[in-house]
Structure formats: structure tokens, C-alpha cells
């Protein structure tokens, strides 16, 4: 079925969403979509006989990276699995990043919680490429899942806390006057940046059709099907991704997989750059965008 196009939202609408999501300090140190809160002493006492903070041992942060207590709904601390602090007797959760398998050997200090040892696999990849990331497959292997699927035990999002905080302080502005002048001067109308050339969606054929319909005024700037070199910005230096996107009124925010909930940074990049995303990918992609902030695309 045809996806109805969405009208462009004014900057005030995006600012309102940002103000709702960002915490008052302008940063969200723990959770992307809600300000963290520390539990009260009474709440802590009712949880697991007061065994807090929860200790998470992770295998994928550098030895020099600062770890310690973090502010979240349940107070917790992160330690290095390969270099635990002296005196640490037990670990509550082993957290690791992978796209399949059963994970690394568990540390001897990993304790049982509710009759099982908690091993958590985190991945931002798509189950189309890695079937082991399906929630049912993770649970069969006794793993806690942290994936982009909202069916996972701990859903993850590509929406960065820093982005939300930035929108609250300085909303993205769609500079219609500048873009109209750009178009009148013969500039490009739409851009695409794609690095995965083995997409499981018809991303490149769709872009080719858009380029034809726009009389060639659409450019692919990434590694896949490049039609124009990466642009230069101030001082002749290569533009940042946001800088490159700002050179075109529209951005073809096309995913490499069309899987429910797999909504990556692409459309968010367009909003942050102040241009309009034309989205193609997750069937429920509209659920992740502020109302009226972009357009949807479907194959003919």
C-alpha cells in the first residue's frame, strides 16, 4: 500500500518534541528517551535485598575508559570484565557486543539471579543479516537481548541522547529561502549517502528512479553507486555528513533492510541537518519520526 506523505513540521514542533525528551540539564547521561532518576532508599531496600548498585561487567570498553556509578532508574556500576576493581566479589550481568553465537566465557564472579546467570548480548545490527539476533533465538540461547527490536528485553535506539539534548537547545531549522536559491541556481535536489552496497532493500534502484524523475538533480555521495564526489565545505575541507546533507533540500534516508523497528540514524541525520528526509525502510518508520517531519517512499 502507498505510504501517505508527511508534511514538513515547523521547527517549533521539533523543538517541542526535544523539550519533552531532553532532560532539564540538556544532557541525558543514561537513557535516550527519558531523564534518569535515582531510586529512593525505600525503593532500593525493596529490590533484591538491597543488593545495589547492580554491577555490570563489560568486555567491549577500553581499559582507559572511565567506568563507575551511572545515574539510571536502577543505580548501577560498570566494570571491566578483564580488569575488575580489587575486592569485587560478584558481578550481576555480563554485557558484550556480538551479532550471534552464545557469547564469551562467563567470569567466575558472575552470580546467579533468579536461578540463572545473566549474560546480555547487545547489537545495533539487523536480524535480516544476523538471524541470531531475533528475540526468540536469543532467549533460546539463554541470553538477554539488547537490540533495535522493541520485542527485545532491552530495546536500543539509534536516537542519540546528545541529539535530543541538542534539539532542545537549538532546534534544526529548515532554511527554505537558502534552499530555494540553491534550487533556482541549478543545484541538486536530493542526496543519498550509502555505504552498504549489499542492501537487502531496493535502495539503489529506487534512488536511480528518483534521479531520473528529478532530471538528474539527485546525487549519491557514498561508496555505493556514487554519482558525485564528496563535497567540500569551509576552508576546502571535506564536509561533515550534516554539512553535505545541507547542500540538498531532501535526503533519501533509505535503510539497507526493511524490518520492523530497524530505524537507524539516517532520518535523524536529515532532521539534524535541517533538510527533509524521504524515508524508506522499516514498515513502522513513521512511529520513530516527529509527526509531520518527513515523507515516506514505497517501491512502485
Amino acid at each position: 500500500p502507498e505510504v501517505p506523505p508527511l508534511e514538513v513540521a515547523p521547527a517549533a514542533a521539533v523543538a517541542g518534541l526535544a523539550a519533552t525528551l531532553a532532560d532539564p540539564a540538556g544532557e541525558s547521561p543514561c537513557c535516550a528517551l527519558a531523564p534518569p532518576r535515582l531510586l529512593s532508599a525505600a525503593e532500593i531496600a525493596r529490590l533484591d535485598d538491597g543488593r545495589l548498585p547492580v554491577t555490570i561487567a563489560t568486555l567491549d570498553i577500553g581499559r582507559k575508559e572511565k567506568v563507575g556509578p551511572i545515574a539510571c532508574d536502577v543505580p548501577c556500576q560498570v566494570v571491566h570484565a578483564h580488569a575488575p576493581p580489587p575486592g569485587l566479589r560478584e558481578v550481576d550481568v555480563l554485557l558484550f557486543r556480538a551479532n550471534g553465537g552464545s557469547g564469551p566465557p562467563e567470569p567466575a564472579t558472575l552470580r546467579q539471579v533468579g536461578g540463572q546467570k545473566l549474560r546480555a548480548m547487545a547489537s545495533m545490527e539487523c536480524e535480516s543479516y544476523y538471524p541470531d539476533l531475533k528475540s526468540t533465538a536469543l532467549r533460546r540461547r539463554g541470553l538477554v537481548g539488547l537490540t533495535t527490536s522493541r520485542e527485545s528485553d532491552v530495546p536500543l535506539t539509534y536516537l542519540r541522547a546528545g541529539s535530543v539534548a541538542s534539539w532542545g537547545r537549538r532546534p534544526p531549522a529548515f532554511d527554505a529561502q537558502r534552499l530555494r536559491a540553491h534550487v533556482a541556481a541549478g543545484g541538486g535536489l536530493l542526496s543519498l549517502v550509502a555505504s552498504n552496497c549489499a542492501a537487502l532493500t531496493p535502495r539503489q534502484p529506487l534512488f536511480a528512479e528518483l534521479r531520473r524523475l528529478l532530471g538528474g538533480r539527485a546525487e549519491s555521495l557514498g561508496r555505493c553507486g556514487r554519482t558525485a564526489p564528496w563535497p567540500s565545505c569551509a576552508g576546502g575541507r571535506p564536509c561533515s555528513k550534516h554539512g553535505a546533507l545541507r547542500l540538498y533540500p531532501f535526503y533519501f534516508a533509505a535503510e539497507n533492510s526493511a524490518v520492523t523497528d530497524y530505524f537507524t540514524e539516517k532520518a535523524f541525520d536529515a532532521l539534524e541537518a535541517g533538510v527533509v528526509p524521504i524515508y524508506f525502510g522499516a514498515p513502522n518508520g513513521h512511529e520513530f519520526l516527529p509527526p509531520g517531519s518527513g515523507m515516506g517512499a514505497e517501491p512502485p
Side-chain angles (χ1 to χ4, degrees), residues 33-292:
L33 297 181
R37 67 180 182 90
L38 291 177
L39 299 182
S40 67
E43 289 173 312
I44 290 175
R46 291 197 299 269
L47 286 172
D48 199 21
D49 299 322
R51 291 183 58 92
L52 293 174
V54 172
T55 300
I56 302 170
T58 181
L59 292 169
D60 56 355
I61 54 178
R63 291 178 179 271
K64 295 182 179 180
E65 187 170 344
K66 182 180 179 181
V67 295
I70 60 174
C72 204
D73 289 341
V74 176
C76 52
Q77 60 181 345
V78 181
V79 302
H80 301 284
H82 49 63
L88 181 68
R89 294 189 300 174
E90 286 188 324
V91 168
D92 298 295
V93 184
L94 174 65
L95 173 65
F96 59 94
R97 290 188 180 274
N99 297 321
S102 297
E106 58 194 42
T109 52
L110 185 62
R111 75 181 185 94
Q112 286 199 346
V113 179
Q116 68 177 104
K117 294 185 176 182
L118 293 180
R119 295 175 301 125
M121 178 187 288
S123 176
M124 300 300 288
E125 296 296 336
C126 182
E127 62 188 45
S128 292
Y129 291 93
Y130 303 98
D132 276 359
L133 294 177
K134 292 183 178 180
S135 298
T136 52
L138 289 166
R139 289 167 189 152
R140 278 199 303 268
R141 302 198 303 281
L143 296 172
V144 176
L146 293 82
T147 72
T148 58
S149 170
R150 284 185 285 184
E151 293 183 357
S152 71
D153 299 297
V154 182
L156 302 178
T157 173
Y158 273 84
L159 179 58
R160 298 177 291 271
S163 296
V164 174
S166 174
W167 295 352
R169 292 191 300 267
R170 182 174 51 81
F174 182 77
D175 190 341
Q177 184 175 356
R178 178 184 64 82
L179 290 172
R180 284 195 188 98
H182 167 80
V183 172
L189 298 173
L190 176 141
S191 67
L192 165 69
V193 178
S195 58
N196 183 345
C197 301
L200 300 179
T201 60
R203 178 166 60 191
Q204 294 305 135
L206 277 173
F207 172 76
E209 178 64 8
L210 284 170
R211 193 165 194 262
R212 183 187 69 80
L213 292 171
L214 294 173
R217 296 175 68 178
E219 302 296 355
S220 177
L221 307 174
R223 292 199 297 264
C224 306
R226 179 176 294 172
T227 60
W230 190 263
S232 297
C233 285
R237 294 187 297 270
C239 295
S240 65
K241 184 176 181 181
H242 288 169
L245 267 54
R246 288 190 190 103
L247 300 177
Y248 303 84
F250 299 93
Y251 178 61
F252 188 36
E255 309 285 10
N256 56 44
S257 298
V259 173
T260 299
D261 296 339
Y262 187 66
F263 190 93
T264 68
E265 77 287 349
K266 295 174 178 62
F268 297 136
D269 282 340
L271 294 180
E272 291 180 12
V275 300
V276 181
I278 298 177
Y279 183 76
F280 175 73
N284 62 333
H286 61 283
E287 297 176 10
F288 292 82
L289 280 170

